[in-house]
Amino acid sequence: MGGSAVVTSAAGTPGPSPADSDLVRAARGLPVSRTPVWFMRQAGRSLPEYRALRAGTAMLAACQDPDLVTEITLQPVRRHGVDAAILFSDIVLPLVVAGVDIEIKPGVGPVVAEPVRSVADVDALPPLEPERLAFLETAVRRLVAELGPTPLIGFAGAPFTLATYLIEGGPSKEHARTKAFMYAEPEAWGRLLDRLAISAAVFLRAQVDAGASAVQLFDSWAGVLSAADYAERVLPHSRAVFDGLGDRNVPRIHFGVGTGELLPLIGDAGADVVGVDWRLPLDEAARRVGPQRSLQGNLDPAVLLADRATVDREVRRVVEQGRAARGHVFNLGHGVLPDTDPGVLTHVAELVHELTTSPARPTAPMP
Ligand code: CP3
């Protein structure tokens, strides 16, 4: 299942397997029955059923409990009718599993007990042993069985974004320490990102081999870099993560925030789909990325806090501008904000489907 399944049905139209779903097809630039939609951070605090289930369990403990992972991942699929599930996990989990002391503080984010500040700190980082990922394989296998034709997206944090947490010791705005380390210790920087790329690839391979139908690499904070620095000091390591998937036949999504100037480069790293935040209209993003790649995005998550007329107008605009892309996966430009009314998310998924279901599209093979 998953990685090795055929991509197109005999009829050349979407069929009832995840490898032939609208998500996978849009990611590859193939015709779809309607524009697929899912939401980054769809599993999480906007859902009361999530808050109930998570009560009393720390975030990173929940991520390692196959029962909780399965149930939390399924919640938004049941509720919103989205076209994909995304594994409930976190970008810092591979580091935690390898033995790095990290905690996710509620309302703050990942906090690292001993930040990486020297060449010796880089060399002391423990590698991720694939044998430690049995809990993840169990959760993914269960999910794939439960999800049936709905694809599961596996994910990992990109080397740069993970490096910002390790070096800053927690969330930061300017990422000044990270950049200072990048400039002052280019060799150790390269080694650090090499190691993070290897661990991200191990983490993604485990998910794909257990049945995930697509992967997303989150380089959330790459937008703080100039194109020149990104190209020289970061992109080769993100490319190494995708290369680490070898010939596993699943679409690759590559996402970052504030990446307007980096979009052509982000595409070059080996993705089938480039994620776009809300700052750039999708037709302009399509021009920058080119016709070889699909786009994912890009409704401003804050719009979901506005009135219904505004939500509808903005959804229509994103759908229209998305038609300029080779393929379009509807999403937000960044994660769901915790205050979002889940009813609005359900409405957006329905509206995207309604706006893009074309009865004129052939549903049977041409004679
Ligand atoms: O999208 C999904 O629904 C799947 C789950 C998912 C989580 N984290 C769960 C989570 C995904 C894809 C992530 C990725 C992630 N984690 C990123 C990249 C995406 C992005 O938003 O840019 C980053 C930067 C992190 C690091 C991280 N983990 C942050 C910044 C936070 C938020 C801290 C806070 O409390 O505001 C977390 C915690 C986290 N990860 C939560 C969830 C559901 C909230 C913790 C909780 O519910 O207690």
Side-chain angles (χ1 to χ4, degrees), residues 38-46 50-51 54 57-60 63 72-73 76 85-93 104-110 153-158 161-162 164-165 171 216-221 255-257 333-336 338:
W38 68 280
F39 304 107
M40 290 185 277
R41 297 284 181 94
Q42 64 190 17
R45 283 169 297 179
S46 69
Y50 168 80
R51 295 195 297 267
R54 267 291 318 286
T57 310
M59 175 64 195
L60 290 167
C63 290
I72 292 172
T73 301
I86 178 153
L87 186 80
F88 178 74
S89 185
D90 197 85
I91 58 167
V92 297
L93 194 66
I104 291 185
K105 293 225 164 102
V108 178
I153 301 172
F155 75 89
T161 290
L162 284 174
T164 68
Y165 287 103
Q216 177 156 328
L217 191 62
F218 281 96
D219 209 352
S220 301
W221 314 135
F255 167 80
V257 180
H334 200 183
V336 173

